[in-house]
Amino acid sequence: MINISCGKWQIILKAQKESKLEIVHAGPLLSHPEEVINHRPPVFPWLNKTDWAYPVRGGGTFHEPAASFSFSDGQIGADLFFHSHTKKSFDDGALWEICLKDSHYPLEIILRFRTWDNYSVMEESVLIRNRGGEEIHINQAASGFLRLKGNDFWLTHLAGSWANENRLIEEKVERGLKILDSREGARTTRHQNPSLLLSRGRASTETSGEVFGLSLAWDGNWRLACEKDDQGDVLIQGGINPAGSQSVLPGGTEWKSPPLIMTWSGEGRGPISRQLHRWANDVKMAKRHEEVPVLLNSWEGAYFNVNSDTIKKFIHDAADIGAGMFVLDDGWFGQGDDARNSDKAGLGDWEINKEKFPQGLAPLAKKARDKGLKFGLWLEPEMVSPQSKLYREHPEWIVNNPHHQPLTERFQLMLDLSNREVEAYVFQTIDQYLCDIPEIGYIKWDCNRQITSPGSASSNPSTNDFFRHYEEAFLRIIKGLREKHPSLLFQACASGGGRMNYGALEQFHEFWTSDNTDPVQRLFIQWGSGLFYPARAMASHVTSSPNHQTGRTTPLKFRFDVAMSGRLGLELQPSHMSDEERTFSRRAIKEYNRIRPLVFDGDLYRLRAPYESPLTSILFVRPDKKEALLFAWLTQRFVGDNYSPLKLQGLDENLSYSLEEINPLPPMVDPSGIPLPRTSTLYDQTVSGSYLVNHGVEFQFFTEYSSAVVLLKAK
Ligand code: GLA
């Protein structure tokens, strides 16, 4: 028996020498784990027995296998038997390595389980070894596999589209195979996210239900498969998408999968998110402890109309409102006819536009530094515009089957990173910039299309495994840049939401959550994203009103109050703001710098979903429960609407808390001149934790798009 315990839960495997490895339990901790083996019901001999911990094609399963191989003698299928296992203990958990061997071929699979007990989070991955001399073909290989007993599971996952990412979907798991995946090659998380929840009995609530949470840490093509089998059990697996990723393993080599992250809760989905967020913050995320300043980005304020003068003004305004960084977005590069004056030209020509910036960027970056600001730059390094010097010089450098006409998307093509020469060019171009302008402290790394026609004109195209080669080159570039410029910060932009996965999060310190900055739609997008990813990683910007994506008009306070629940930034033209708006923004940024540790390191309690009610609310609670930050937003107002109080789960009932309103507005009057009360009677009061948890907070919002941010401090 192998008992992989991980904080609150465990996986139990039945391991007998020369037998198949079986999974006999996944779920809560058992005081007598051996009982699940001793009391297993017998399997009727005329039924297929499929309790394999890592079922492979040919190894006795007719369901979707975790892996499938073919061999140089023309045979397919493997027959794996348990061989041995080891366990290494660490201060924070352990690593189990379980070796399975084929009964005939020199194929070895090591199942690796790394656990972190304090977070109840584990990663499963596989290492596949070819111990012989002939090639072995890996047709598919999942990173991890679970078999869950029972007939009544619900699946929760995220799907959407551009500017509408990560909408929540809940469905009962029915007979058959359900695939969630991406074949986009790059920007693989815009339409579906490689994360899911599986709950027993019904869709979990925030506080109830047995729930498994899974997320694949891979930024390339991915696949999660969920199958209800002939016995009614649920088989679940995640890994690199086999479509277009068939690897050949030469003799004497090995292949490593990305990790599948798994966690479990017996008390609903709330703990799943908190476990993942804490683990991400403490263990997984790139530069997790780095102080990232509130930034002002030029995109929605200037679009392509950037030049020295506009940027000087932006830098001045950024410093004036108290931002800590200015980011120059698209539009600063390309020359003459190739100038980036629209999205039709210039990508790949990463030379500063001499007409727009006669002195270059260095003086602007220095100006920013002298004003106490970091300087950030937008790049889309994987791309080339057909209208560019780079494309004219190297038409063979694009991703495409060279015998077919290339197809553009947003007027652009992708560079073929699977070609080592192109990889080196991309690395050197960015590296040179960073060496020439050391003031650059932040790169917004964009990626505004996907791979629709995989292929390479290079001498060794390896088209069957193109997507993996592409992704590995991408990771090498970014890792190389981080190693050489360790203080650099990176945002994974990818059109918003397109690189939101734990593979990217190891290299990037934040995601651009969505190109949609409308605060109402952001509440939905951030709600879904926050199920799996921490607020620290979710860039959230205040933009102008009416909103450029939805046309919705909302008050500045509402926009700030939404953006402050993630990683706050601004993306507008400060010179178009009124004096009152600038004053409000200056104070809000200052407040954000004060309360940000709660957003970044607090435990997230989702109190009311935007899907359920126009009154939406979340709460961040410091782990010691001495401080908390409450957000409440009203997205629609009908006279007579009545919302039940928001019960602040997560606080300590035995403490008392003072309540301070953040971002208050001046006293308001109704249209007939009657003064309106503040939105809560609890502001500046001290209230018991018991009242806040058990009775709850009632807000009185008088207009649509009203909101409240409240800092709670234990007395
Ligand atoms: C993408 C990004 C935006 C902006 C533009 C620039 O759409 O998501 O934030 O950078 O590209 O072209």
Side-chain angles (χ1 to χ4, degrees), residues 12 90 105 132 176 275 308 334 361 415 443 528 540 555 573 583 654 659:
I12 303 175
F90 306 106
Y105 295 99
Q275 285 155 203
S308 275
L361 288 185
L415 287 174
I443 298 288
S540 188
Q573 186 53 265
T583 306
N654 300 314
L659 284 84

Side-chain angles (χ1 to χ4, degrees), residues 299 329-330 340 378 410 444 446 448 493 495-496 512 515:
W299 181 240
D329 210 283
D330 204 348
R340 184 77 171 162
W378 179 93
R410 204 195 183 197
K444 174 174 173 177
D446 215 336
N448 286 314
C493 175
S495 316
W512 178 224
D515 265 359

Side-chain angles (χ1 to χ4, degrees), residues 162 187 297 299-300 303-304 329-331 340 342-343 347 378-380 410 412 444 446-448 491 493-497 512 514-516 541 571:
W162 175 75
R187 201 180 60 170
N297 174 299
W299 181 240
E300 286 203 20
Y303 291 107
F304 295 100
D329 210 283
D330 204 348
R340 184 77 171 162
S342 74
D343 50 8
L347 293 173
W378 179 93
L379 284 167
E380 202 178 350
R410 204 195 183 197
Q412 62 199 61
K444 174 174 173 177
D446 215 336
C447 176
N448 286 314
Q491 182 194 69
C493 175
S495 316
W512 178 224
S514 174
D515 265 359
N516 192 333
H541 293 178
E571 199 167 317

Side-chain angles (χ1 to χ4, degrees), residues 314-426:
F314 264 123
I315 291 172
H316 170 272
D317 287 337
D320 178 57
I321 57 172
M325 171 151 66
F326 168 72
V327 179
L328 173 54
D329 210 283
D330 204 348
W332 56 267
F333 49 90
Q335 315 300 327
D337 288 346
D338 303 329
R340 184 77 171 162
N341 295 325
S342 74
D343 50 8
K344 296 203 172 63
L347 293 173
D349 295 350
W350 301 111
E351 267 172 53
I352 298 151
N353 183 301
K354 297 196 183 76
E355 271 177 48
K356 296 180 183 179
F357 299 94
Q359 321 292 329
L361 288 185
L364 295 171
K366 289 203 177 74
K367 187 178 167 63
R369 187 199 53 201
D370 295 346
K371 289 200 167 279
L373 302 178
K374 277 184 189 278
F375 189 81
L377 197 61
W378 179 93
L379 284 167
E380 202 178 350
E382 298 153 85
M383 302 292 161
V384 61
S385 305
Q387 174 71 45
S388 68
K389 184 161 154 260
L390 182 68
Y391 188 65
R392 283 191 298 278
E393 284 171 5
H394 287 292
E396 78 289 5
W397 274 12
I398 58 164
V399 173
N400 196 40
N401 176 332
H403 307 296
H404 294 159
Q405 253 323 90
L407 289 175
T408 54
E409 191 182 328
R410 204 195 183 197
F411 313 104
Q412 62 199 61
L413 299 164
M414 292 196 75
L415 287 174
D416 174 16
L417 300 188
S418 79
N419 176 343
R420 286 285 177 148
E421 206 188 339
V422 181
E423 180 187 335
Y425 167 82
V426 170

Side-chain angles (χ1 to χ4, degrees), residues 108-341:
E108 205 173 275
I109 296 191
I110 317 289
L111 304 182
R112 308 175 86 233
F113 295 85
R114 171 67 163 100
T115 58
W116 287 269
D117 289 325
N118 286 341
Y119 312 93
S120 296
V121 171
M122 70 166 85
E123 286 185 343
E124 183 179 357
S125 59
V126 299
L127 188 68
I128 300 173
R129 289 199 181 116
N130 179 353
R131 292 263 186 215
E134 312 271 349
E135 285 178 347
I136 296 179
H137 289 244
I138 306 176
N139 303 320
Q140 69 186 79
S143 303
F145 182 92
L146 277 183
R147 182 190 183 90
L148 305 176
K149 286 254 148 224
N151 189 18
D152 52 352
F153 277 92
W154 280 73
L155 176 67
T156 303
H157 59 106
L158 305 173
S161 52
W162 175 75
N164 178 33
E165 297 83 1
N166 292 340
R167 300 300 290 255
L168 208 62
I169 297 182
E170 323 240 45
E171 58 195 84
K172 188 159 192 314
V173 179
E174 299 289 3
R175 273 298 292 276
L177 182 62
K178 169 100 187 170
I179 302 275
L180 308 174
D181 75 343
S182 167
R183 294 153 187 248
E184 291 143 300
R187 201 180 60 170
T188 59
T189 65
R190 218 161 54 124
H191 301 127
Q192 307 208 66
N193 196 272
S195 308
L196 58 79
L197 302 179
L198 262 186
S199 55
R200 202 184 281 282
R202 60 189 157 86
S204 58
T205 71
E206 289 298 327
T207 51
S208 69
E210 182 184 356
V211 198
F212 294 83
L214 280 78
S215 190
L216 186 75
W218 179 244
D219 178 60
N221 280 350
W222 57 271
R223 188 175 81 133
L224 300 177
C226 179
E227 184 173 13
K228 186 160 169 173
D229 74 3
D230 56 314
Q231 317 286 299
D233 289 343
V234 170
L235 319 180
I236 180 109
Q237 59 168 289
I240 291 182
N241 196 329
S245 292
Q246 261 104 53
S247 301
V248 177
L249 202 56
T253 61
E254 58 183 37
W255 182 98
K256 228 172 132 183
S257 80
L260 178 67
I261 301 158
M262 301 192 280
T263 186
W264 177 89
S265 150
E267 293 167 332
R269 62 179 64 169
I272 293 279
S273 303
R274 292 190 284 279
Q275 285 155 203
L276 283 174
H277 296 172
R278 276 200 192 186
W279 173 77
N281 281 337
D282 294 351
V283 178
K284 190 75 170 176
M285 263 186 81
K287 295 209 171 281
R288 47 194 180 270
H289 301 302
E290 193 84 21
E291 180 87 345
V292 183
V294 173
L295 61 83
L296 173 67
N297 174 299
S298 62
W299 181 240
E300 286 203 20
Y303 291 107
F304 295 100
N305 304 318
V306 289
N307 61 38
S308 275
D309 291 340
T310 54
I311 298 315
K312 275 186 204 148
K313 183 86 178 73
F314 264 123
I315 291 172
H316 170 272
D317 287 337
D320 178 57
I321 57 172
M325 171 151 66
F326 168 72
V327 179
L328 173 54
D329 210 283
D330 204 348
W332 56 267
F333 49 90
Q335 315 300 327
D337 288 346
D338 303 329
R340 184 77 171 162
N341 295 325

Side-chain angles (χ1 to χ4, degrees), residues 81-98:
F81 290 91
F82 172 71
H83 178 262
S84 55
H85 83 286
T86 58
K87 179 185 173 190
K88 241 186 251 165
S89 294
F90 306 106
D91 287 348
D92 56 358
L95 172 68
W96 278 263
E97 293 198 316
I98 303 163

